[in-house]
Amino acid sequence: MPQMNREQRNAAWQAAQQWRTRAAQSQPGGLMGSLKLLLTWLAFGVLMVVGVILGLFFLLIGWAMMPFVRHKMKKRMEQMRAEQAQDIGGGYAEPHTRSRQQDVLEGSYEVKTHEDNKATPRD
């Protein structure tokens, strides 16, 4: 008997006992309870099947649209690259038509041409 007193004083044991009694009372009784349980499971099963079919349908639609989206994104990237190249360079000139200003890279120095490299005698 001391073991029963210990179990009866345990809060978890009391909660488990209450849960068992409530579960026994809520079990479907008779034909109507069984019919409700069967219809509930059938409705759940139908909803699961419909959800899986819709998921597969949208997955296939997504796979079918991927080439079109990839083509569109590729065109957009090409356009962005073309805009950046135009903004940075302002158009490229042929090497023989370059002006003196385009030969200056950065700062105040300039690239000397062949004519500028004429040597003068040093002392």
Side-chain angles (χ1 to χ4, degrees), residues 69-85:
V69 173
R70 183 175 179 213
H71 178 71
K72 185 177 178 182
M73 294 300 290
K74 189 176 178 182
K75 289 290 184 185
R76 187 179 295 168
M77 286 301 295
E78 287 175 2
Q79 182 183 4
M80 286 174 58
R81 285 183 186 146
E83 288 173 0
Q84 282 183 346

Side-chain angles (χ1 to χ4, degrees), residues 7-19:
E7 289 174 353
Q8 289 174 351
R9 283 184 281 160
N10 189 351
W13 179 261
Q14 290 174 356
Q17 289 292 73
Q18 290 173 359
W19 180 80

Side-chain angles (χ1 to χ4, degrees), residues 7-70:
E7 289 174 353
Q8 289 174 351
R9 283 184 281 160
N10 189 351
W13 179 261
Q14 290 174 356
Q17 289 292 73
Q18 290 173 359
W19 180 80
R20 283 183 191 152
T21 55
R22 276 185 294 194
Q25 291 172 356
S26 65
Q27 284 184 349
L31 184 61
M32 282 304 286
S34 299
L35 190 60
K36 281 183 184 179
L37 187 62
L38 179 67
L39 289 176
T40 302
W41 277 103
L42 283 176
F44 177 72
V46 167
L47 286 175
M48 288 295 290
V49 169
V50 168
V52 167
I53 289 172
L54 282 174
L56 289 174
F57 175 74
F58 285 120
L59 179 71
L60 290 175
I61 293 292
W63 281 348
M65 289 177 62
M66 282 186 79
F68 300 111
V69 173
R70 183 175 179 213

Side-chain angles (χ1 to χ4, degrees), residues 100-118:
R100 197 97 156 112
Q101 292 174 349
Q102 286 178 335
D103 288 339
V104 176
L105 298 175
E106 206 175 83
S108 61
Y109 64 91
E110 63 181 53
V111 177
K112 292 187 176 184
T113 61
H114 183 61
E115 297 168 358
D116 293 339
N117 287 338
K118 292 182 182 175

Side-chain angles (χ1 to χ4, degrees), residues 119-123:
T120 58
R122 292 187 184 184
D123 290 330

